[in-house]
Amino acid sequence: MDLRDDARALADDLIRLRRRLHAIPETGLHLPRTQEAVLAALDGLPLEITTGRGLTSVTAVLRGARPGPVVLLRGDMDALPVTERTGLPFAATGPDHGGKMHACGHDFHTAMLAGAARLLAAHRDRLAGSVVFMFQPGEEGYDGAAHMIAEGVLDAAGERPVAAYALHVSSHTWPSGVFTARPGPMMASSSVLDVTVRGAGGHGSTPHLARDPVPAACEMVTALQNWVTRSFDVFDPVVLTVGTFAAGTATNVIPDRADFSATVRSLSAASLERLREGTVAVCQGIAAAHGLAVDARFTEQYPVTVNDAGEEKFAAAAVREVFGEERYEPMANPLLGAEDFSRVAHEVPGVMIFLGATPPDRDPKTAPSNHSATADFDESVLPDGAALYAELAVRRLTAAAFA
């Protein structure tokens, strides 16, 4: 079967679906219009379809003509709370979608996964085993993968998958059409540090009569940055970025409290454990020195995304054979972004593969990044993404049959 040629024949349909999804961005775990579009795209295919109970997920199972193992393909569906500034004619408009945008390419992932379902359904008679298509809401901070796992997505076909694959497009860094991945840690764990410093307010002209939480909170921000650089091996990287800081209501009023929050990324369990304890200790120590109270809370979100070495090697070989040697570029270093596909890869051998989708008129080194309000993606990669999803499933089922 030539899945790549079949995928090219679907190009116009994939572009239409991607644009439909792009025009109706929804965030979080409940994406009713997105779910409706996915169900319409799958309509008529020989799939066993279930929808989520606590979230608007879609799980579709394709059973091959012959018995065999199970492979899972995952695509995330949610958008971001970003106001789009691309100027695209199919950008989201109207009161229902203001302030939301598919700035991370999840509309691509969903369209490619739906395309893969069509490709594999057309060759169902040649499949030995089953394919689970995991259309997931809530990747952007809502842990949708964990919710779908709790609702049974990994057992949807009756047995656990022998492998799971996910694709992720990038609007920058890699040229359009280049696939990239690495074995081992692929993306970081993600945690949140929330800090509230409590003092006693007063008049800005007499700070000695108050207990000002602002300088102490500022000291915590800089101390955390210094602590990270002096406490962790540079070859096991850690990133801590304070993204919010709030205090006060007027220039001449010392507030009672100051609040800040940080995202914390790491690539190993050992670093995560030190971060959990050390960030809180830094804040507590500075608060004590200033005679202030502090509430510092470290909350883990997503674990490290670890690509199974064997599955990464398998996927890389498939890309090189189907698309050409030049289309696969080994990823030198992990990414400090985080992904809840890590939940799936923790349960079954999995691999996440990035696909360059930088528009051809832009330089990958300077193009707007994923999550930018001006991020744009090259739609010409849609057929190849769908083809790779399908190719990985076919090859993995075939390999298992002859193992």
Side-chain angles (χ1 to χ4, degrees):
M1 66 184 79
D2 194 329
L3 293 169
R4 192 178 181 192
D5 283 346
D6 291 351
R8 286 172 178 153
L10 296 178
D12 289 345
D13 290 343
L14 297 179
I15 290 172
R16 277 192 292 270
L17 177 56
R18 181 261 164 160
R19 291 184 179 185
R20 178 183 178 185
L21 295 167
H22 195 86
I24 54 168
E26 297 172 299
T27 58
L29 296 172
H30 300 285
L31 324 174
R33 296 189 67 187
T34 303
Q35 184 188 58
E36 180 183 359
V38 169
L39 292 173
L42 301 180
D43 187 43
L45 299 180
L47 301 169
E48 301 169 10
I49 295 178
T50 57
T51 55
R53 299 183 298 275
L55 69 170
T56 54
S57 59
V58 176
T59 300
V61 178
L62 176 68
R63 299 195 184 275
R66 300 184 304 281
V70 178
V71 169
L72 182 143
L73 305 176
R74 180 269 207 166
D76 40 4
M77 305 189 294
D78 55 323
L80 284 156
V82 173
T83 299
E84 184 163 359
R85 298 201 314 271
T86 62
L88 292 171
F90 49 87
T93 59
D96 291 340
H97 305 297
K100 299 176 184 178
M101 176 190 173
H102 272 293
C104 200
H106 296 189
D107 49 344
F108 272 67
H109 308 162
T110 304
M112 293 188 298
L113 188 57
R118 288 181 60 178
L119 294 172
L120 292 170
H123 296 284
R124 177 176 172 271
D125 59 329
R126 301 177 65 179
L127 294 180
S130 301
V131 182
V132 176
F133 302 93
M134 178 181 176
F135 292 90
Q136 181 209 307
E139 187 279 326
E140 297 289 357
Y142 293 84
D143 214 351
H147 288 276
M148 289 192 71
I149 291 171
E151 291 195 357
V153 67
L154 296 181
D155 302 301
E159 60 183 270
R160 284 284 167 115
V162 296
Y165 303 103
L167 287 177
H168 202 306
V169 293
S170 177
S171 64
H172 63 117
T173 304
W174 297 282
S176 183
V178 170
F179 295 92
T180 182
R182 70 187 309 275
M186 170 77 174
M187 300 183 74
S189 68
S190 175
S191 304
V192 173
L193 177 67
D194 293 302
V195 179
T196 297
V197 185
R198 303 183 189 279
H203 199 288
S205 66
T206 54
H208 61 290
L209 300 179
R211 286 187 293 129
D212 191 347
V214 175
C218 292
E219 187 175 333
M220 291 174 194
V221 171
T222 56
L224 286 167
Q225 301 296 332
N226 290 332
W227 175 72
V228 163
T229 65
R230 292 297 178 265
S231 301
F232 293 88
D233 188 337
V234 295
F235 297 106
D236 183 13
V238 166
V239 170
L240 186 152
T241 297
V242 175
T244 69
F245 192 107
T249 57
T251 59
N252 62 345
V253 176
I254 294 172
D256 289 324
R257 60 184 283 177
D259 301 90
F260 67 89
S261 297
T263 185
V264 187
R265 309 297 174 100
S266 65
L267 290 167
S268 70
S271 290
L272 179 59
E273 182 62 29
R274 291 188 67 198
L275 285 164
R276 183 189 301 110
E277 298 176 356
T279 53
V280 172
V282 167
C283 294
Q284 290 174 338
I286 292 172
H290 286 264
L292 302 171
V294 66
D295 180 13
R297 302 168 302 282
F298 189 93
T299 305
E300 294 180 34
Q301 291 181 315
Y302 299 161
V304 178
T305 301
V306 180
N307 279 349
D308 179 83
E311 293 302 333
E312 186 276 333
K313 184 178 180 180
F314 173 83
V319 171
R320 291 181 172 120
E321 185 174 335
V322 175
F323 300 102
E325 189 74 25
E326 74 284 356
R327 293 285 299 277
Y328 190 83
E329 179 181 308
M331 185 181 289
N333 301 303
L335 304 175
L336 271 296
E339 248 285 350
D340 67 353
F341 181 70
S342 56
R343 305 287 191 194
V344 177
H346 181 74
E347 298 290 334
V348 300
V351 61
M352 169 161 278
I353 305 161
F354 269 68
L355 170 56
T358 306
D361 61 342
R362 294 185 175 178
D363 183 344
K365 296 179 181 178
T366 58
S369 67
N370 289 31
H371 288 218
S372 166
T374 57
D376 194 10
F377 302 84
D378 181 8
E379 291 178 327
S380 72
V381 306
L382 286 165
D384 282 354
L388 182 61
Y389 266 133
E391 194 74 47
L392 290 171
V394 169
R395 288 171 178 247
R396 192 64 181 83
L397 291 177
T398 302
F402 289 98

